[in-house]
Amino acid sequence: MLSKNMEKALNEQINAEVFSTYLYLSMAAWFHSQKLAGFGHWMEAQAREEWEHTMKFFHYVDERGGRVLLGKIDAPQAEWESPLEAFKAAYEHEKYITGRIHELVALAREENDYATENFLQWFVTEQVEEESSTGRVVDQIEMVADSRQGLFMLDRELGARGRQG
Ligand code: FEO
């Protein structure tokens, strides 16, 4: 059985993961509006991953005899100044989520909730990947700087996410 504190914190994380889904969908919509379909595709794949994270928390709370309670989801930002600004925002968002996961681990330890601490380890590892993948695209955009051709090539590369063998 989850403690009330842990249940509340996990429910708040469900909200944060749904918001992440929403944020990346918003970024996908913005990239599509900029005619950068590859970037848009990458963000759609990212949004799907966030939904998977949401459902992992959802099922975990349920499995531990907790009650999933859904709160209000804030509207995400809709416009960014450039692809670089959008990806920098994604990278910052992942760092924020990493901080939240670490706080959950600290709470699980405080509560001697070993099962939740163990469950959260998957997310600790996942956040290393999440920061690395968004940070890598920031670096790549910075490398092509203002080159339209470079951006076009990058758009094609990002459009291949999840489509390669
Ligand atoms: Fe659910 Fe991108 O971390």
Side-chain angles (χ1 to χ4, degrees):
M1 193 76 183
L2 289 171
S3 71
K4 280 294 154 200
N5 265 351
M6 202 71 244
E7 181 187 64
K8 182 170 175 283
L10 291 170
N11 268 315
E12 284 166 3
Q13 189 60 26
I14 289 176
N15 187 281
E17 298 291 349
V18 177
F19 178 78
S20 302
T21 309
Y22 231 39
L23 175 64
Y24 294 134
L25 266 185
S26 185
M27 287 182 177
W30 181 77
F31 277 118
H32 284 299
S33 78
Q34 302 297 303
K35 310 295 174 218
L36 289 166
F39 281 88
H41 169 81
W42 195 99
M43 282 295 174
E44 284 174 44
Q46 187 69 15
R48 274 193 293 277
E49 276 196 8
E50 298 304 343
W51 185 247
E52 283 170 20
H53 297 171
T54 305
M55 295 312 292
K56 271 186 197 287
F57 279 105
F58 180 100
H59 291 304
Y60 180 73
V61 170
D62 183 53
E63 214 178 322
R64 291 291 309 283
R67 172 75 164 95
V68 173
L69 288 172
L70 301 177
K72 176 171 167 273
I73 308 297
D74 290 334
Q77 191 174 330
E79 305 281 343
W80 289 269
E81 271 180 28
S82 63
L84 180 60
E85 289 312 309
F87 264 90
K88 275 185 175 170
Y91 178 54
E92 288 306 316
H93 183 70
E94 289 306 331
K95 288 200 284 189
Y96 162 71
I97 295 293
T98 299
R100 291 190 62 104
I101 297 291
H102 292 176
E103 281 172 20
L104 286 172
V105 172
L107 179 64
R109 284 186 182 166
E110 219 177 280
E111 308 249 331
N112 294 328
D113 185 343
Y114 305 117
T116 299
E117 187 183 344
N118 188 46
F119 164 76
L120 289 168
Q121 290 311 307
W122 185 90
F123 285 94
V124 170
T125 306
E126 175 71 1
Q127 281 313 118
V128 174
E129 166 64 26
E130 292 282 78
E131 285 188 28
S132 158
S133 61
T134 48
R136 192 169 54 237
V137 180
V138 169
D139 292 343
Q140 285 174 317
I141 301 173
E142 278 174 342
M143 260 183 260
V144 303
D146 293 329
S147 154
R148 292 299 295 174
Q149 198 188 352
L151 203 61
F152 175 73
M153 299 286 285
L154 196 51
D155 189 59
R156 280 181 51 167
E157 190 189 320
L158 296 181
R161 178 177 178 175
R163 286 175 173 155
Q164 291 148 327

mmCIF file of all heavy atoms in Angstrom, residues 10 15 23 26 29 32 47 50-51 59-60 66 71 110 117 133 139 151 159:
data_model
loop_
_atom_site.group_PDB
_atom_site.id
_atom_site.type_symbol
_atom_site.label_atom_id
_atom_site.label_comp_id
_atom_site.label_asym_id
_atom_site.label_seq_id
_atom_site.Cartn_x
_atom_site.Cartn_y
_atom_site.Cartn_z
ATOM 1 N N LEU A 10 3.046 10.802 -6.586
ATOM 2 C CA LEU A 10 2.991 10.046 -7.847
ATOM 3 C C LEU A 10 1.871 10.576 -8.735
ATOM 4 O O LEU A 10 2.026 10.657 -9.959
ATOM 5 C CB LEU A 10 2.812 8.546 -7.567
ATOM 6 C CG LEU A 10 4.020 7.854 -6.923
ATOM 7 C CD1 LEU A 10 3.670 6.440 -6.471
ATOM 8 C CD2 LEU A 10 5.220 7.813 -7.866
ATOM 9 N N ASN A 15 0.498 14.015 -13.607
ATOM 10 C CA ASN A 15 0.141 15.299 -14.212
ATOM 11 C C ASN A 15 1.327 15.873 -15.000
ATOM 12 O O ASN A 15 1.166 16.358 -16.130
ATOM 13 C CB ASN A 15 -0.298 16.275 -13.105
ATOM 14 C CG ASN A 15 -0.849 17.558 -13.671
ATOM 15 O OD1 ASN A 15 -0.102 18.425 -14.073
ATOM 16 N ND2 ASN A 15 -2.174 17.680 -13.716
ATOM 17 N N LEU A 23 3.171 19.252 -24.061
ATOM 18 C CA LEU A 23 4.198 20.206 -24.484
ATOM 19 C C LEU A 23 4.839 19.759 -25.796
ATOM 20 O O LEU A 23 4.992 20.558 -26.731
ATOM 21 C CB LEU A 23 5.264 20.331 -23.388
ATOM 22 C CG LEU A 23 6.471 21.205 -23.729
ATOM 23 C CD1 LEU A 23 6.056 22.671 -23.948
ATOM 24 C CD2 LEU A 23 7.535 21.124 -22.635
ATOM 25 N N SER A 26 2.575 20.121 -28.664
ATOM 26 C CA SER A 26 2.504 21.527 -29.045
ATOM 27 C C SER A 26 3.724 21.901 -29.891
ATOM 28 O O SER A 26 3.619 22.613 -30.892
ATOM 29 C CB SER A 26 2.432 22.404 -27.786
ATOM 30 O OG SER A 26 2.239 23.745 -28.142
ATOM 31 N N ALA A 29 3.239 20.447 -33.327
ATOM 32 C CA ALA A 29 2.315 21.275 -34.117
ATOM 33 C C ALA A 29 3.032 22.521 -34.633
ATOM 34 O O ALA A 29 2.853 22.925 -35.792
ATOM 35 C CB ALA A 29 1.108 21.666 -33.262
ATOM 36 N N HIS A 32 5.386 21.559 -37.483
ATOM 37 C CA HIS A 32 4.630 21.318 -38.714
ATOM 38 C C HIS A 32 4.200 22.643 -39.339
ATOM 39 O O HIS A 32 4.233 22.792 -40.553
ATOM 40 C CB HIS A 32 3.429 20.412 -38.444
ATOM 41 C CG HIS A 32 3.803 18.962 -38.273
ATOM 42 N ND1 HIS A 32 4.412 18.218 -39.259
ATOM 43 C CD2 HIS A 32 3.683 18.120 -37.213
ATOM 44 C CE1 HIS A 32 4.643 16.983 -38.819
ATOM 45 N NE2 HIS A 32 4.212 16.900 -37.576
ATOM 46 N N ALA A 47 6.339 12.823 -27.772
ATOM 47 C CA ALA A 47 5.046 12.915 -27.068
ATOM 48 C C ALA A 47 4.517 11.513 -26.750
ATOM 49 O O ALA A 47 3.994 11.263 -25.658
ATOM 50 C CB ALA A 47 4.038 13.692 -27.904
ATOM 51 N N GLU A 50 6.210 10.184 -23.787
ATOM 52 C CA GLU A 50 5.710 10.796 -22.544
ATOM 53 C C GLU A 50 4.395 10.154 -22.108
ATOM 54 O O GLU A 50 4.135 9.994 -20.920
ATOM 55 C CB GLU A 50 5.543 12.309 -22.705
ATOM 56 C CG GLU A 50 6.832 13.054 -22.993
ATOM 57 C CD GLU A 50 7.918 12.834 -21.951
ATOM 58 O OE1 GLU A 50 7.615 12.362 -20.836
ATOM 59 O OE2 GLU A 50 9.080 13.111 -22.261
ATOM 60 N N TRP A 51 3.592 9.796 -23.095
ATOM 61 C CA TRP A 51 2.337 9.110 -22.755
ATOM 62 C C TRP A 51 2.631 7.748 -22.130
ATOM 63 O O TRP A 51 1.954 7.321 -21.184
ATOM 64 C CB TRP A 51 1.440 8.988 -23.991
ATOM 65 C CG TRP A 51 0.114 8.404 -23.651
ATOM 66 C CD1 TRP A 51 -0.384 7.202 -24.029
ATOM 67 C CD2 TRP A 51 -0.884 9.001 -22.793
ATOM 68 N NE1 TRP A 51 -1.628 7.000 -23.481
ATOM 69 C CE2 TRP A 51 -1.954 8.094 -22.715
ATOM 70 C CE3 TRP A 51 -0.966 10.198 -22.099
ATOM 71 C CZ2 TRP A 51 -3.100 8.346 -21.961
ATOM 72 C CZ3 TRP A 51 -2.105 10.454 -21.341
ATOM 73 C CH2 TRP A 51 -3.153 9.534 -21.286
ATOM 74 N N HIS A 59 -0.345 2.845 -13.975
ATOM 75 C CA HIS A 59 -0.498 1.434 -13.601
ATOM 76 C C HIS A 59 0.186 1.124 -12.277
ATOM 77 O O HIS A 59 -0.296 0.289 -11.517
ATOM 78 C CB HIS A 59 0.027 0.522 -14.712
ATOM 79 C CG HIS A 59 -0.828 0.556 -15.938
ATOM 80 N ND1 HIS A 59 -2.172 0.265 -15.921
ATOM 81 C CD2 HIS A 59 -0.549 0.869 -17.229
ATOM 82 C CE1 HIS A 59 -2.678 0.386 -17.132
ATOM 83 N NE2 HIS A 59 -1.722 0.762 -17.949
ATOM 84 N N TYR A 60 1.310 1.809 -12.028
ATOM 85 C CA TYR A 60 2.024 1.544 -10.773
ATOM 86 C C TYR A 60 1.174 1.962 -9.569
ATOM 87 O O TYR A 60 1.051 1.208 -8.596
ATOM 88 C CB TYR A 60 3.382 2.261 -10.748
ATOM 89 C CG TYR A 60 4.116 1.988 -9.466
ATOM 90 C CD1 TYR A 60 4.694 0.744 -9.223
ATOM 91 C CD2 TYR A 60 4.191 2.953 -8.464
ATOM 92 C CE1 TYR A 60 5.332 0.460 -8.027
ATOM 93 C CE2 TYR A 60 4.831 2.682 -7.249
ATOM 94 C CZ TYR A 60 5.397 1.433 -7.039
ATOM 95 O OH TYR A 60 6.012 1.152 -5.849
ATOM 96 N N GLY A 66 -3.169 2.225 -4.782
ATOM 97 C CA GLY A 66 -3.425 3.667 -4.686
ATOM 98 C C GLY A 66 -4.586 4.068 -5.582
ATOM 99 O O GLY A 66 -5.155 3.239 -6.301
ATOM 100 N N GLY A 71 -5.573 15.688 -12.328
ATOM 101 C CA GLY A 71 -5.784 17.121 -12.114
ATOM 102 C C GLY A 71 -5.845 17.883 -13.419
ATOM 103 O O GLY A 71 -5.817 17.305 -14.511
ATOM 104 N N GLU A 110 12.742 8.365 2.139
ATOM 105 C CA GLU A 110 12.280 8.917 3.416
ATOM 106 C C GLU A 110 11.167 8.055 4.024
ATOM 107 O O GLU A 110 11.075 7.882 5.231
ATOM 108 C CB GLU A 110 11.717 10.301 3.113
ATOM 109 C CG GLU A 110 12.011 11.383 4.111
ATOM 110 C CD GLU A 110 11.438 12.682 3.572
ATOM 111 O OE1 GLU A 110 12.100 13.296 2.711
ATOM 112 O OE2 GLU A 110 10.313 13.059 3.996
ATOM 113 N N GLU A 117 10.936 3.064 -4.688
ATOM 114 C CA GLU A 117 12.311 3.462 -5.011
ATOM 115 C C GLU A 117 12.821 2.613 -6.178
ATOM 116 O O GLU A 117 13.422 3.135 -7.123
ATOM 117 C CB GLU A 117 13.210 3.286 -3.783
ATOM 118 C CG GLU A 117 14.600 3.837 -4.020
ATOM 119 C CD GLU A 117 15.550 3.606 -2.848
ATOM 120 O OE1 GLU A 117 15.095 3.300 -1.729
ATOM 121 O OE2 GLU A 117 16.757 3.734 -3.081
ATOM 122 N N SER A 133 19.200 12.974 -25.455
ATOM 123 C CA SER A 133 18.622 13.066 -26.804
ATOM 124 C C SER A 133 18.178 14.489 -27.144
ATOM 125 O O SER A 133 18.415 14.958 -28.264
ATOM 126 C CB SER A 133 17.474 12.070 -26.992
ATOM 127 O OG SER A 133 16.438 12.332 -26.086
ATOM 128 N N ASP A 139 22.670 20.710 -29.802
ATOM 129 C CA ASP A 139 24.038 20.812 -30.345
ATOM 130 C C ASP A 139 24.024 20.777 -31.876
ATOM 131 O O ASP A 139 24.737 21.533 -32.534
ATOM 132 C CB ASP A 139 24.918 19.655 -29.849
ATOM 133 C CG ASP A 139 25.188 19.760 -28.354
ATOM 134 O OD1 ASP A 139 24.980 20.848 -27.778
ATOM 135 O OD2 ASP A 139 25.610 18.745 -27.757
ATOM 136 N N LEU A 151 19.668 22.933 -41.923
ATOM 137 C CA LEU A 151 18.411 22.698 -41.215
ATOM 138 C C LEU A 151 17.566 21.664 -41.972
ATOM 139 O O LEU A 151 16.934 20.788 -41.373
ATOM 140 C CB LEU A 151 17.650 24.021 -41.075
ATOM 141 C CG LEU A 151 16.631 24.095 -39.943
ATOM 142 C CD1 LEU A 151 17.277 23.905 -38.583
ATOM 143 C CD2 LEU A 151 15.884 25.438 -39.991
ATOM 144 N N GLY A 159 13.447 13.207 -38.972
ATOM 145 C CA GLY A 159 12.233 12.570 -39.498
ATOM 146 C C GLY A 159 12.355 11.059 -39.541
ATOM 147 O O GLY A 159 11.352 10.345 -39.685
#
